[in-house]
Structure formats: C-alpha cells, structure tokens
C-alpha cells in the first residue's frame, strides 16, 4: 500500500492533463495563474516542459474547495 501511495504522489502530470482535470480551462488561463502565483507549483524539466506532481495538484485542489477550513 505504501508503495502504491508513493507511486501516486510521484506521478507527474503534464499541463494538458492538469487542464483536462480542471474541466478544460485554457492553457492561457493556466499560464496567467502561474504569473499571478495562483497555479499549483510546477517542475520545469530540462527540455523546458512543465510538470505538476500529483500530490501537489491534489493538495492545491483541496485548498480551493468551498467551505475549506482556514
């Protein structure tokens, strides 16, 4: 079970996968959120592409749930 959890946490999502999970928001919106520091933290690969760790993305979503405790 721990290995499965680590594997999910280590999963890297592409920007396209993040956009799809957010209901198909535009790439432009995502990059605007990055400029405003509202997007989930990203990893820049040596080839310049961005990835978002699954656990970071899930936590980012949880923080934005309506009625979330502050």
């Amino acid at each position: 079970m721990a290995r499965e959890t680590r594997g999910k946490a280590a999963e890297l999502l592409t920007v396209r996968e993040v956009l799809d999970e957010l209901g198909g928001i535009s790439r432009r919106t995502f990059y605007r959120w990055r400029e405003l520091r509202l997007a989930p933290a990203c990893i820049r690969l040596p080839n310049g592409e961005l990835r978002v760790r699954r656990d970071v993305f899930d936590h980012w979503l949880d923080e934005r749930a309506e009625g979330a405790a502050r």
Side-chain angles (χ1 to χ4, degrees):
M1 180 83 159
R3 178 178 281 172
E4 186 176 310
T5 302
R6 261 187 309 219
K8 183 170 176 115
E11 178 185 3
L12 296 177
L13 302 171
T14 64
V15 172
R16 171 58 42 210
E17 290 170 330
V18 170
L19 300 179
D20 289 346
E21 287 205 31
L22 291 173
I25 67 162
S26 73
R27 185 173 291 270
R28 180 176 180 194
T29 296
F30 180 79
Y31 282 99
R32 179 69 177 145
W33 288 353
R34 280 186 41 85
E35 288 175 12
L36 297 171
R37 299 189 181 272
L38 298 173
C42 297
I43 298 168
R44 185 170 301 280
L45 300 178
N47 65 2
E49 292 183 11
L50 296 177
R51 296 291 185 272
V52 179
R53 283 187 20 210
R54 165 57 71 184
D55 60 334
V56 169
F57 180 66
D58 289 342
H59 180 73
W60 180 83
L61 279 178
D62 289 344
E63 285 182 331
R64 279 143 189 83
E66 287 195 21
R70 291 203 180 243

